[in-house]
């Protein structure tokens, strides 16, 4: 999930306007700095990552290289749908996602160019797919956010799978329609198989209260509307760095032990095979996974994990190595099967 997500209708309208302006003027529009850029020195990034993080990357990249970047922002579903519709005619040079299933979908459609080996070498193998047609750029950990006035550490489930127990009915919150939750279920599918995942989803349909986004999940946990919620770690850290109004009563439980609930979701970056700016697009990926780009992530306010160039994560975060996340190939996360299963059980 993202902060400040635009609706699909607004996004489509904005995209149409940008394309029309571009066709009329022959210049890129909507750069991060608000200025236009000559076609030869600019790239277009379809961005499903947090806008503030990508904006900081863009500013640093443009300052370093002189290459302007036009950002077109949406969420994972919006941007992957846009790319699927546009196919090889897309104006995008680079695609950035929050979760890997959206990237796997576009890779499966044959729309991506191989990532330069020098860029891949900056990111450890566990944070990028075996295919080499995209790379990890950031990561986030699954957690159980719980109300510390309603639950003690001894009362917490040992596994994410335990939330299928009837004793949790009505006590768990999640944004079941969101890309974050579906990525977590994709990991469960890969680790536990279809039968176990479907049974868990059937129980979740009964046990979970569904919210539109993960920020309302955190707020519901904080207020005691639910005892706990399944989401990513950074929502609490971001709230704490701001007002703390949605997290003052919240602690985070890390499942660890290679549990599906310890899943670390990889955000992806890729170059479109149809891009006429291959060198500049590859340069952008190399920059954001390089030392300077990862330091932007380390010192910024998104509180996601760094994955590249041996740059440590923000010191407030539990180190990645201590999360005991399950090992899996991000290229194998099957979002289409998850959507099918969730639809079957009535969660979508």
């Amino acid at each position: 999930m993202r902060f400040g997500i635009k609706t699909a209708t607004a996004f489509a309208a904005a995209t149409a306007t940008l394309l029309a302006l571009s066709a009329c003027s022959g210049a890129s529009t909507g750069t991060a700095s608000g200025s236009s850029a000559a076609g030869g020195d600019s790239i277009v990034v379809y961005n499903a990552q947090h806008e503030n993080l990508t904006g900081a990357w863009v500013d640093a990249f443009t300052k370093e290289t002189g290459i302007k970047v036009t950002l077109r922002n949406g969420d994972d579903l919006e941007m992957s749908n846009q790319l699927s519709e546009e196919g090889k005619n897309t104006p995008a040079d680079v695609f950035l996602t929050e979760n890997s299933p959206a990237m796997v979908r576009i890779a499966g459609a044959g729309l991506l160019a191989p990532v330069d080996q020098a860029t891949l070498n900056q990111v450890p193998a566990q944070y990028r797919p075996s295919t080499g047609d995209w790379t990890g750029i950031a990561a986030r950990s699954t957690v159980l956010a719980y109300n510390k006035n309603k639950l003690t550490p001894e009362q917490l489930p040992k596994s994410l799978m335990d939330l299928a127990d009837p004793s949790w009915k009505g006590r768990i919150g999640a944004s079941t329609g969101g890309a974050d939750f579906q990525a977590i279920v994709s990991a469960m599918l890969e680790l536990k198989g279809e039968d176990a995942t479907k049974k868990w989803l059937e129980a979740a349909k009964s046990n979970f209260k569904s919210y539109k986004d993960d920020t309302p999940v955190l707020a519901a946990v904080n207020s005691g509307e639910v005892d706990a919620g399944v989401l990513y770690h950074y929502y609490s850290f971001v709230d704490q760095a701001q007002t703390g109004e949605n997290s003052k009563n919240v602690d985070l439980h890390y499942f660890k032990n290679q549990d599906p609930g310890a899943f670390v979701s990889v955000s992806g970056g890729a170059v479109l095979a149809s891009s006429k700016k291959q060198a500049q697009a590859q340069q952008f990926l190399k920059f954001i996974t390089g030392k300077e780009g990862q330091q932007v992530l380390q010192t910024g306010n998104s509180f996601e994990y760094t994955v590249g160039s041996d740059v440590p994560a923000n010191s407030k975060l539990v180190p990645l190595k201590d999360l005991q996340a399950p090992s899996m190939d991000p290229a194998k996360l099957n979002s289409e099967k998850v959507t099918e299963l969730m639809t079957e059980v009535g969660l979508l």
Side-chain angles (χ1 to χ4, degrees):
M1 286 294 159
R2 309 175 66 250
F3 298 98
I5 295 174
K6 299 179 178 66
T7 63
T9 301
F11 171 75
T15 300
T17 301
L18 282 167
L19 290 172
L21 287 171
S22 179
C24 292
S25 66
S28 300
T29 61
T31 60
S33 62
S35 61
S36 61
D41 297 316
S42 66
I43 57 173
V44 174
V45 174
Y46 276 18
N47 176 50
Q49 247 294 347
H50 295 159
E51 293 178 28
N52 60 344
L53 171 58
T54 304
W57 272 334
V58 165
D59 289 344
F61 173 72
T62 299
K63 182 178 180 180
E64 174 74 20
T65 66
I67 299 171
K68 302 291 186 180
V69 178
T70 298
L71 286 180
R72 297 182 182 173
N73 298 305
D75 63 21
D76 279 351
L77 181 60
E78 288 171 343
M79 302 314 293
S80 60
N81 280 344
Q82 186 78 11
L83 282 170
S84 294
E85 292 170 5
E86 293 171 346
K88 296 179 180 179
N89 295 318
T90 181
D93 301 294
V94 173
F95 181 35
L96 303 182
T97 67
E98 280 204 323
N99 296 284
S100 54
M103 190 67 79
V104 172
R105 176 186 177 191
I106 299 306
L111 297 177
L112 302 181
V115 175
D116 286 350
Q117 189 61 49
T119 300
L120 295 177
N121 290 345
Q122 295 184 144
V123 180
Q126 64 265 40
Y127 304 124
R128 53 181 168 85
S130 58
T131 56
D133 51 9
W134 58 277
T135 185
I137 58 173
R140 60 280 301 277
S141 174
T142 308
V143 296
L144 186 72
Y146 68 97
N147 187 303
K148 56 190 177 184
N149 298 320
K150 301 188 73 175
L151 291 171
T152 66
E154 293 73 25
Q155 294 173 308
L156 298 173
K158 302 299 183 184
S159 168
L160 182 67
M161 308 304 290
D162 294 342
L163 295 179
D165 190 280
S167 64
W168 290 105
K169 184 177 177 64
R171 299 170 61 197
I172 303 295
S175 178
T176 55
D180 291 356
F181 185 80
Q182 292 175 35
I184 295 167
V185 177
S186 294
M188 183 184 293
L189 178 64
E190 177 66 15
L191 292 166
K192 298 294 185 179
E194 184 174 337
D195 289 345
T197 300
K198 185 175 181 179
K199 288 179 182 178
W200 189 87
L201 288 171
E202 289 170 342
K205 176 66 166 62
S206 175
N207 289 356
F208 288 19
K209 289 186 177 181
S210 187
Y211 296 84
K212 185 177 181 181
D213 201 344
D214 284 353
T215 299
V217 174
L218 183 67
V221 174
N222 186 66
S223 69
E225 182 177 321
V226 291
D227 292 358
V230 178
L231 68 170
Y232 287 144
H233 76 279
Y234 64 83
Y235 284 92
S236 180
F237 285 93
V238 169
D239 187 71
Q240 285 290 312
Q242 296 173 350
T243 64
E245 61 183 335
N246 292 325
S247 58
K248 62 183 179 180
N249 299 318
V250 174
D251 273 344
L252 301 182
H253 174 50
Y254 295 83
F255 287 101
K256 300 187 177 182
N257 300 311
Q258 291 76 51
D259 190 78
F263 168 61
V264 169
S265 180
V266 175
S267 300
V271 172
L272 278 298
S274 55
S275 169
K276 295 179 174 60
K277 310 284 183 61
Q278 289 290 319
Q280 296 95 324
Q282 293 283 356
Q283 190 174 356
F284 181 74
L285 276 194
K286 186 176 182 181
F287 178 85
I288 65 175
T289 57
K291 184 175 181 180
E292 187 174 348
Q294 291 292 287
Q295 286 175 337
V296 167
L297 177 54
Q298 177 195 45
T299 60
N301 58 7
S302 70
F303 292 97
E304 295 186 65
Y305 282 98
T306 53
V307 297
S309 299
D310 297 320
V311 175
N314 187 299
S315 61
K316 293 183 179 180
L317 304 182
V318 177
L320 273 175
K321 64 181 179 59
D322 294 340
L323 295 177
Q324 300 175 18
S327 177
M328 62 180 60
D329 184 350
K332 294 183 178 179
L333 297 184
N334 190 337
S335 59
E336 291 185 5
K337 187 62 180 180
V338 166
T339 300
E340 178 186 317
L341 291 174
M342 292 183 71
T343 301
E344 282 184 27
V345 306
L347 278 170
L348 291 178

